[in-house]
Amino acid sequence: MATGSVYSLPVTINYEDTDAAGVVYYANYLAYMERARNACLRAAGLPLTVVRDEHNAVFVVTEVRLRYRKPAMLDDVISVTLEVDELRGASVTFIHHVLRGEELLVDGQIRLGILSGDTCVPCRIPDVVRQVLDRHRIQ
Amino acid sequence: MATGSVYSLPVTINYEDTDAAGVVYYANYLAYMERARNACLRAAGLPLTVVRDEHNAVFVVTEVRLRYRKPAMLDDVISVTLEVDELRGASVTFIHHVLRGEELLVDGQIRLGILSGDTCVPCRIPDVVRQVLDRHRIQ
Amino acid sequence: MATGSVYSLPVTINYEDTDAAGVVYYANYLAYMERARNACLRAAGLPLTVVRDEHNAVFVVTEVRLRYRKPAMLDDVISVTLEVDELRGASVTFIHHVLRGEELLVDGQIRLGILSGDTCVPCRIPDVVRQVLDRHRIQ
Amino acid sequence: MATGSVYSLPVTINYEDTDAAGVVYYANYLAYMERARNACLRAAGLPLTVVRDEHNAVFVVTEVRLRYRKPAMLDDVISVTLEVDELRGASVTFIHHVLRGEELLVDGQIRLGILSGDTCVPCRIPDVVRQVLDRHRIQ
C-alpha cells in the first residue's frame, strides 16, 4: 500500500465526543470519517458546496461497516485516515482507519453513491472529483 | 403560575447524551428544549413542517440563557418543561425548566424570532401558532 | 419471524437530528439504535446503570453494519426495532430496522461484547440480561 | 482591548454541524466554544486531563448566554475566539465570539466553576491554570 495514497486528518477529543463510559461515543467515529472525506476534497479545491453548486453532485452514504478495537479517550489526538477502495461510475467505497499513534482504534468501510443535485437521481461522479479520489486509491 | 400553562416532555438519558465527566453534556439541554417546543406544537396539530409549508413561517433562535444547577445522569428520566413568557408580533420568549422529579437541574430562557419561509425576512407569528403559544403563557 | 420477538421504539425527528441535506445525519441512526436497546432493557426492569451497578457488566460495541435505503426527515416519527440474532456467552448481535410506517429506511447489525464493570475483561452476560435478550431472538 | 489577549480556534463546518434549515444547529456553538477553551489550555501545556489528574481540578459550566446574529453554513471556516472576563477564586467567565472573516455570527459569555476532582466541592483555580487564563484577560 503506497503511503502517498493515504489522506490523514488529526482530530482532538473533547468532552462533546465522549460518553459516561469515559470513551468516545460509538456513533461519533462516523462524523470523524465524514470530516476526513470533506477535508480531503477541500484540500484539493473541491469543498462539498463546490461539488454541489458547480458540479451538481451530492454524496449519499449507502453502507457502513465499522470494527471497534480500542476506545479513544478525552484529550487524545487521533488520526482519521482515508483511502479509496472501489471507485465505480456512480459510487465509491472509502476505507478509514482511526489511529492513536501506531495503535489501531477503529476501522471502517463506507460506501457512498452520487446523486444529481437537482433531480436526486444517481449520476456519474464528476471527473474533477474522480481525479481526486483516484489519487487516494489503495495500491 | 397556573399549572395548566406548562407543557412538559419526558426525556430519557442515554450514553449519547452524556460525557466523560459522567453527566449530560452542557450543549444537549438546548436540544431537549427544542424537542419540548416542537412536541408542544406537534401536540396542537402544528408540527414545524406544517408551520413552514402551510403557514410560510420558520423559527430562528436569537438568544439563549441557561443556568446549570445540578447535572442529569445516565438513565435519568427528566422532564423538560416549557412556558411562554413574552409573546410579541414577530418573536417569542420561552422559559424552560429541566427537572428530575421535583429537583431543578437547569433552567433557561430562549428567544426566537419568526421569519417568512420564502423571503427569510421577519414576519408576524401566524395566528394558529400564536393561539397555541398563548395557551402556555405564564399567568 | 414471530412478531412477539420484536421490540420497537418510536423516535420523532427534530432539527437536531437533521443536516443541511434536509435528511437525518447518517451517524444518528446509531444513537437511535442505542436508545432502542436501552429502552428494551429498561422496560424489562434492567436499565444500564442497574446492569452495571448490580450485575457488574457493561456493554461495548465491537462491530456495526448499516445499510441506508431511504432518508428520514424533519417531523417524521420513525420506528426503531430490535431483535437478537446471535446470543453467545460474552457477546450478542442485534438486528435493527428503522421504519417509517411500512417503509424500510435503514437496517443494521450491531455486535456488542460484555465486559466486567470493574476489571474491563470480557465476561458472561448476566443471566437476568440473557433472559431479556432471549425473548427478542429471531425465531 | 489588546489583541494579544484573544485566543482563536478555526472550525470547519461539516454536515454533522448543520440542520435541515441549512445552517449550523444552535446547540453546536456551545461545543465549538468548549473546543476553543480546551485548545487554549492545551496550547499552554495544560490539557484537561492534566488539569484533572495532576492538579485535581475539573471545570463545570454554571451559566451560558448566547446571542445569535447570523448563521454559519456548510463549508464555512469560522473562528471561535476566547477571552477571559471575570477571573475569581473559584470561577471564571469567558467571552466567546464566533466570526466568519470580520463578520460576527454569534457571541456568548460562559461562566465555569472549578471543583476538586475527588470531592466535587468548589475549589480554588490551580495557579498554573490561573496564569494561562490571566494572559487572555480583556484589557
Side-chain angles (χ1 to χ4, degrees):
Chain A
M1 185 194 307
T3 314
S5 69
V6 182
Y7 181 87
S8 181
L9 181 77
V11 172
T12 302
I13 303 304
N14 290 298
Y15 271 113
E16 59 171 310
D17 300 293
T18 59
D19 68 22
V23 299
V24 167
Y25 185 64
Y26 84 128
N28 293 344
Y29 295 99
L30 288 178
Y32 308 153
M33 291 170 181
E34 187 221 341
R35 287 185 208 174
R37 294 193 299 272
N38 298 358
C40 173
L41 284 169
R42 169 189 300 272
L46 288 169
L48 292 183
T49 46
V50 168
V51 175
R52 181 191 65 196
D53 298 342
E54 299 182 12
H55 302 283
N56 190 32
V58 293
F59 287 100
V60 284
V61 176
T62 57
E63 199 169 341
V64 154
R65 186 160 193 173
L66 297 181
R67 281 160 299 271
Y68 299 85
R69 301 170 191 285
K70 289 182 184 170
M73 305 179 84
L74 184 63
D75 276 337
D76 281 348
V77 181
I78 57 177
S79 304
V80 184
T81 75
L82 159 171
E83 292 162 286
V84 169
D85 185 3
E86 218 177 17
L87 181 55
R88 299 201 176 177
S91 76
V92 53
T93 302
F94 289 91
I95 307 288
H96 294 287
H97 292 86
V98 179
L99 301 149
R100 183 175 45 214
E102 303 282 298
E103 196 180 16
L104 177 61
L105 305 183
V106 179
D107 66 297
Q109 298 149 263
I110 303 193
R111 195 168 183 232
L112 298 100
I114 315 288
L115 303 182
S116 160
D118 42 23
T119 63
C120 287
V121 165
C123 71
R124 252 189 86 76
I125 299 175
D127 282 345
V128 288
V129 175
R130 180 177 299 278
Q131 285 160 22
V132 178
L133 298 177
D134 206 45
R135 271 181 239 155
H136 296 285
R137 283 182 91 158
I138 293 175
Q139 304 298 313
Chain B
M1 188 193 307
T3 314
S5 69
V6 182
Y7 182 86
S8 179
L9 182 77
V11 172
T12 302
I13 302 304
N14 290 297
Y15 272 112
E16 60 171 309
D17 300 293
T18 59
D19 68 23
V23 300
V24 167
Y25 185 64
Y26 83 129
N28 293 344
Y29 295 98
L30 288 179
Y32 309 152
M33 292 171 181
E34 186 221 343
R35 289 185 207 174
R37 293 193 299 273
N38 297 358
C40 174
L41 284 169
R42 168 189 300 271
L46 288 168
L48 292 183
T49 47
V50 168
V51 175
R52 182 191 64 194
D53 298 342
E54 299 183 14
H55 302 283
N56 190 32
V58 293
F59 287 99
V60 286
V61 174
T62 55
E63 198 168 342
V64 154
R65 185 160 195 173
L66 297 181
R67 280 161 298 271
Y68 299 85
R69 301 172 190 284
K70 290 182 184 169
M73 305 179 84
L74 185 63
D75 276 337
D76 281 349
V77 181
I78 57 178
S79 304
V80 183
T81 75
L82 159 173
E83 293 163 283
V84 170
D85 186 3
E86 217 176 16
L87 181 53
R88 298 199 178 179
S91 75
V92 52
T93 303
F94 289 91
I95 307 287
H96 294 286
H97 291 85
V98 179
L99 301 150
R100 180 173 49 213
E102 304 281 298
E103 197 180 14
L104 177 61
L105 305 182
V106 179
D107 65 296
Q109 297 149 262
I110 302 192
R111 193 167 183 232
L112 299 100
I114 316 287
L115 303 183
S116 161
D118 41 22
T119 62
C120 287
V121 165
C123 72
R124 252 190 86 77
I125 299 174
D127 282 346
V128 289
V129 175
R130 181 176 299 278
Q131 284 161 24
V132 177
L133 298 176
D134 206 45
R135 272 182 238 154
H136 295 286
R137 286 183 86 158
I138 292 174
Q139 305 297 313
Chain C
M1 188 194 306
T3 315
S5 70
V6 182
Y7 182 87
S8 180
L9 182 77
V11 171
T12 303
I13 303 304
N14 290 297
Y15 272 111
E16 59 172 309
D17 299 294
T18 59
D19 67 23
V23 300
V24 166
Y25 184 64
Y26 83 129
N28 293 343
Y29 295 98
L30 288 179
Y32 309 153
M33 291 170 182
E34 187 222 341
R35 287 185 207 174
R37 293 193 299 273
N38 298 358
C40 173
L41 283 170
R42 171 189 299 275
L46 288 168
L48 292 182
T49 45
V50 168
V51 175
R52 182 190 64 196
D53 298 341
E54 299 183 13
H55 302 283
N56 191 33
V58 293
F59 287 99
V60 284
V61 175
T62 56
E63 198 167 343
V64 154
R65 187 161 193 172
L66 297 181
R67 281 160 298 271
Y68 300 84
R69 301 171 189 285
K70 291 183 183 169
M73 305 180 84
L74 185 63
D75 275 339
D76 281 348
V77 181
I78 57 178
S79 304
V80 184
T81 74
L82 159 172
E83 292 163 284
V84 170
D85 185 3
E86 217 175 19
L87 181 53
R88 297 201 178 177
S91 76
V92 53
T93 303
F94 290 90
I95 307 288
H96 294 287
H97 291 85
V98 179
L99 303 149
R100 182 176 46 213
E102 303 281 298
E103 197 179 15
L104 178 61
L105 305 182
V106 179
D107 66 296
Q109 298 150 262
I110 302 192
R111 193 167 183 233
L112 298 100
I114 315 287
L115 303 182
S116 159
D118 41 23
T119 63
C120 287
V121 164
C123 71
R124 252 189 88 75
I125 299 175
D127 282 345
V128 289
V129 174
R130 180 176 299 276
Q131 285 161 23
V132 177
L133 298 176
D134 206 46
R135 270 181 239 154
H136 296 287
R137 285 181 89 157
I138 292 174
Q139 305 297 313
Chain D
M1 188 193 306
T3 314
S5 69
V6 181
Y7 181 87
S8 180
L9 181 77
V11 172
T12 302
I13 303 303
N14 290 297
Y15 271 112
E16 60 172 310
D17 299 294
T18 59
D19 68 24
V23 299
V24 166
Y25 185 64
Y26 83 129
N28 293 343
Y29 295 98
L30 288 179
Y32 310 153
M33 292 170 181
E34 188 222 341
R35 288 186 207 174
R37 293 192 300 272
N38 298 358
C40 174
L41 284 169
R42 169 189 300 274
L46 288 168
L48 292 183
T49 46
V50 168
V51 175
R52 181 192 64 195
D53 298 341
E54 299 183 14
H55 302 284
N56 190 33
V58 293
F59 287 99
V60 285
V61 175
T62 56
E63 199 167 343
V64 153
R65 186 161 193 171
L66 298 180
R67 280 159 300 270
Y68 300 85
R69 301 172 190 283
K70 290 181 183 171
M73 305 179 84
L74 185 63
D75 276 337
D76 281 348
V77 181
I78 57 178
S79 305
V80 184
T81 74
L82 160 172
E83 292 163 285
V84 170
D85 185 3
E86 215 176 18
L87 181 53
R88 298 200 177 179
S91 77
V92 52
T93 302
F94 289 91
I95 306 288
H96 294 287
H97 292 85
V98 179
L99 302 150
R100 183 176 46 214
E102 304 281 297
E103 196 179 18
L104 177 61
L105 305 182
V106 179
D107 66 295
Q109 298 149 262
I110 303 193
R111 194 168 184 231
L112 298 99
I114 315 287
L115 302 183
S116 160
D118 42 22
T119 63
C120 287
V121 165
C123 71
R124 252 189 87 77
I125 299 175
D127 282 345
V128 288
V129 175
R130 180 177 300 276
Q131 285 160 23
V132 177
L133 298 176
D134 206 45
R135 273 181 238 153
H136 296 285
R137 286 182 87 157
I138 293 174
Q139 304 298 312

